[in-house]
Amino acid sequence: PLLLVPLGCLALLLPPPGAAEFSPSLDSDFTFTLPAGRKECFYQPMRKEASLELEYQVLDGAGLDVDFHLLSPKGETLVFDERKSDGVHTVETEDGDYMFCFDNTFSTISEKVIFFELILDNMGEDGQDEEDWKKYVTGTDLLDMKLEDILESINSVKARLSKSVQIQTLLRAFEARDRNIQESNFDRVNFWSMVNLGVMVVVSAVQVYMLKSLFEDKRKSRT
């Protein structure tokens, strides 16, 4: 199963008690809020000769950037992204717990909303499904289509559907980030428009006062 547990630091690579657990799906995504000045770490158990693909995006927050670390079970740094808004990384794995961290300690004010997706390949489940199918390959000599062909077609459809779901998830993440940027720009435009309007009103009032004062001085000098 796909395990994902937030940790407070990189000191330990041990799953804490009461770990949260995703569904058995090999394609999972997660969105969370990373407070200012904080770092959150997650771990993922992997098998040997499997593949771990991780994609992340910063959906909201000043600068839309975050530091990203990916560590091997031996504690070696495999990936380090410094203050990036998104990234895609794929690694060939060995047995053990892989840890990846999102670091927002460089920001003292702004929190970040982060989306990431995990895609695990060659985890052994497809092979087990194929073995289950082979139990029923008996007495099929008279059939034009073998069960192996049906299984291949089903696996092809399954792979394409999984890819479609992945693309739709990423498009939703891009849409959410673009919407947050547009809303932030909208608030900025409204704020500075109000500031400009206030300045224009103040300047107009000062000009009217100055003109009135000039005429009043002329009247006093004539009397």
Side-chain angles (χ1 to χ4, degrees):
L2 180 61
L3 300 180
L4 187 63
V5 180
L7 304 178
C9 63
L10 292 176
L12 297 178
L13 193 60
L14 295 176
E21 183 175 353
F22 277 135
S23 64
S25 173
L26 298 181
D27 184 357
S28 299
D29 56 85
F30 189 53
T31 304
F32 71 101
T33 300
L34 182 60
R38 291 283 301 277
K39 175 170 62 178
E40 290 291 345
C41 297
F42 306 86
Y43 78 94
Q44 170 58 47
M46 295 298 298
R47 298 179 180 179
K48 186 177 181 180
E49 298 181 352
S51 175
L52 169 63
E53 179 179 348
L54 190 148
E55 176 164 354
Y56 69 90
Q57 296 180 32
V58 182
L59 302 182
D60 194 14
L64 293 176
D65 54 357
V66 71
D67 291 345
F68 173 77
H69 306 260
L70 177 61
L71 283 82
S72 69
K74 298 178 181 179
E76 301 173 348
T77 300
L78 302 177
V79 177
F80 173 64
D81 292 340
E82 185 176 5
R83 304 192 68 169
K84 288 190 175 181
S85 61
D86 56 72
V88 181
H89 302 288
T90 303
V91 295
E92 300 298 324
T93 63
E94 57 186 20
D95 290 330
D97 296 332
Y98 283 75
M99 175 174 285
F100 53 97
C101 300
F102 299 93
D103 190 349
N104 194 33
T105 54
F106 59 84
S107 178
T108 58
I109 300 176
S110 175
E111 64 180 17
K112 307 294 173 62
V113 178
I114 299 175
F115 162 85
F116 67 87
E117 182 178 22
L118 292 176
I119 302 175
L120 311 182
D121 292 328
N122 300 327
M123 293 296 288
E125 294 185 1
D126 292 339
Q128 183 62 39
D129 293 340
E130 186 174 355
E131 292 296 328
D132 293 339
W133 271 88
K134 288 182 178 179
K135 296 178 181 179
Y136 300 96
V137 185
T138 56
T140 59
D141 298 335
L142 299 179
L143 297 179
D144 294 332
M145 180 178 293
K146 297 181 180 180
L147 288 179
E148 288 88 341
D149 298 331
I150 299 176
L151 177 61
E152 182 179 356
S153 300
I154 292 176
N155 287 335
S156 176
V157 173
K158 178 182 177 182
R160 294 181 182 182
L161 288 176
S162 299
K163 189 64 176 180
S164 300
V165 172
Q166 177 190 358
I167 294 175
Q168 291 176 357
T169 302
L170 296 180
L171 290 177
R172 286 198 298 268
F174 279 118
E175 180 185 3
R177 184 174 66 177
D178 293 341
R179 179 182 295 275
N180 291 330
I181 294 175
Q182 294 297 329
E183 291 179 353
S184 177
N185 292 337
F186 178 74
D187 293 337
R188 290 182 181 179
V189 170
N190 286 339
F191 173 76
W192 287 110
S193 297
M194 295 301 297
V195 171
N196 291 333
L197 179 61
V199 172
M200 292 177 61
V201 171
V202 172
V203 171
S204 300
V206 171
Q207 289 179 345
V208 172
Y209 174 78
M210 294 296 295
L211 289 174
K212 290 179 63 177
S213 63
L214 290 175
F215 286 108
E216 290 178 356
D217 291 340
K218 290 182 179 179
R219 292 175 181 175
K220 291 180 180 180
S221 60
R222 290 178 180 176
T223 57

